[in-house]
Amino acid sequence: MKRSLGAKTLAVPAPVWVVGTYDAEGKANGMTAAWGGICCSKPPCVCVSLREATYSYGAILERKAFTVNVPSAGQISIADYFGIASGRDIDKFAVTGLTSAKAEHVDAPLIHEFPLNLECALIHTLKIGLHTLFVGEILDVKADESILNVNGRPSIEKLNPPVFATGEGAYFDIGQSLGAAFSIGKELEV
Amino acid sequence: MKRSLGAKTLAVPAPVWVVGTYDAEGKANGMTAAWGGICCSKPPCVCVSLREATYSYGAILERKAFTVNVPSAGQISIADYFGIASGRDIDKFAVTGLTSAKAEHVDAPLIHEFPLNLECALIHTLKIGLHTLFVGEILDVKADESILNVNGRPSIEKLNPPVFATGEGAYFDIGQSLGAAFSIGKELEV
């Protein structure tokens, strides 16, 4: 039996990504965003949606760049903190002890301690409502050696990134493998 | 030690959503998409990115509507099949035995057996490259009673939706709770 829940942002899973930017004075900032996803394969692009009221909003527009930094489950308290505090008032890197490094290809900071980092050049801005969607072309991906699988790609098992559960307002980690994509469904082919 | 992996769509987690549409003849179709996410809180919106070559692409533009249907982990083979076959050639509902029902608020089909369904009206179309991003305003969410938590919201633990792992090209389910959002990071506040 289905129940109607109304017009709400209750899709799952949502990511827990810390968006890295430099402000006008060149101070590194990070802001946690769960409204985002991959949005194009060629060019490879990711989108994140931010409220205009956030400090990161203006920084993305000014530098035409941002990074997406993916934490491990063990870093979830830090990731949550990056979504609570504002870079307008506080140096979140100083508070958390994290270190930033300028990205190689764009004018935005990478969070060194987070195992997976995407360097993104802003290529589209779409104001939707309370949130504005920023499309960033992924110019490079940096990954810690410790999370790479045998094919040299980031392993979700090794990284174990948090997932945002919109219904609970809580974070969860990654569970068991369910099988290979574009493969396990072939058993249904007629 | 970080390694540069190049310009690739290696962000995680990504969702496993089956996008529901009606074609020109009114035949229900579904197509699995991992390039998507929530993109605005007010109005509540979700985005999905599709290649122009897909059968669903034209259907979304024609009806200005789509649904997002979220499977449970136990339905992953069916969800994978919806990403392999094309609705141009095949009635995927007939093959899988799933049933569709017209959404209440938009001209698109809900997948009855999937526990969570979003009814979306197309409000923006953004051609990025190989993929075009469709922004849908969520007009209603339908959820199976069995996945609701005590607050009447969809529980990610009960739904246990698959996650797409971009590095492995595989699906995983949801693991353990890591704590409450906008809460566990407060311990770091100065």
Side-chain angles (χ1 to χ4, degrees), chain A residues 26 39 57-58 112 118-119 140 166 189:
Chain A
C39 61
Y57 180 97
H112 176 70
L118 283 71
E119 307 191 3
D140 194 19
T166 53
E189 282 183 325

Side-chain angles (χ1 to χ4, degrees), chain A residues 2-6 12 17 39 42 49 80 112 117 130 140-141 143 145 156 168 171 173 175-176 178 182 185, chain B residues 2-6 12 17 39 42 49 80 117 130 140-141 143 145 156 168 171 173 175-176 178 182 185:
Chain A
K2 289 274 172 75
R3 192 189 295 181
S4 171
L5 305 181
V12 281
W17 291 343
C39 61
K42 289 181 187 178
S49 288
D80 190 54
H112 176 70
N117 318 97
L130 181 63
D140 194 19
V141 175
E145 301 266 4
I156 205 169
E168 283 95 342
Y171 306 110
D173 70 358
Q176 301 297 309
L178 299 172
F182 308 109
Chain B
K2 290 274 173 73
R3 191 189 295 181
S4 171
L5 305 180
V12 282
W17 290 344
C39 61
K42 289 182 187 178
S49 288
D80 190 55
N117 319 98
L130 181 63
D140 195 19
V141 175
E145 302 266 3
I156 204 169
E168 283 95 343
Y171 306 111
D173 71 359
Q176 301 298 308
L178 300 172
F182 308 108

Side-chain angles (χ1 to χ4, degrees), chain B residues 149-173:
Chain B
N149 64 21
V150 289
N151 299 317
R153 296 166 74 93
S155 157
I156 204 169
E157 285 192 283
K158 294 183 177 181
L159 171 57
N160 195 19
V163 171
F164 180 59
T166 54
E168 283 95 343
Y171 306 111
F172 287 75
D173 71 359

Side-chain angles (χ1 to χ4, degrees), chain A residues 3-186:
Chain A
R3 192 189 295 181
S4 171
L5 305 181
K8 298 196 174 84
T9 51
L10 290 172
V12 281
V16 181
W17 291 343
V18 179
V19 177
T21 52
Y22 286 123
D23 72 4
E25 281 73 47
K27 187 182 78 175
N29 188 26
M31 179 200 152
T32 308
W35 291 178
I38 296 168
C39 61
C40 188
S41 294
K42 289 181 187 178
C45 291
V46 70
C47 61
V48 292
S49 288
L50 271 59
R51 289 175 297 113
E52 194 170 343
T54 63
Y55 195 53
S56 302
Y57 180 97
I60 290 177
L61 287 176
E62 192 163 318
R63 307 268 176 151
K64 308 288 185 208
F66 62 91
T67 59
V68 169
N69 302 276
V70 187
S72 281
Q75 297 168 315
I76 189 62
S77 292
I78 293 174
D80 190 54
Y81 172 77
F82 271 84
I84 294 172
S86 171
R88 196 174 277 118
D89 317 310
I90 281 176
D91 181 339
K92 301 185 200 177
F93 285 88
V95 170
T96 57
L98 296 189
T99 49
S100 67
K102 189 186 167 302
E104 189 179 0
H105 300 279
V106 302
D107 193 13
L110 300 172
I111 300 181
H112 176 70
E113 288 79 4
F114 283 11
L116 184 64
N117 318 97
L118 283 71
E119 307 191 3
C120 304
L122 181 69
I123 62 168
H124 291 290
T125 300
L126 177 63
K127 184 167 175 58
I128 299 174
L130 181 63
H131 286 78
T132 295
L133 180 145
F134 295 111
V135 176
E137 181 178 344
I138 303 166
L139 298 186
D140 194 19
V141 175
K142 302 281 197 296
D144 197 87
E145 301 266 4
S146 65
I147 66 159
L148 298 178
N149 63 20
V150 290
N151 300 316
R153 294 164 75 93
S155 157
I156 205 169
E157 286 192 283
K158 294 183 177 181
L159 171 58
N160 195 17
V163 171
F164 180 59
T166 53
E168 283 95 342
Y171 306 110
F172 287 74
D173 70 358
I174 299 296
Q176 301 297 309
S177 173
L178 299 172
F182 308 109
S183 173
I184 55 172
K186 287 187 177 172

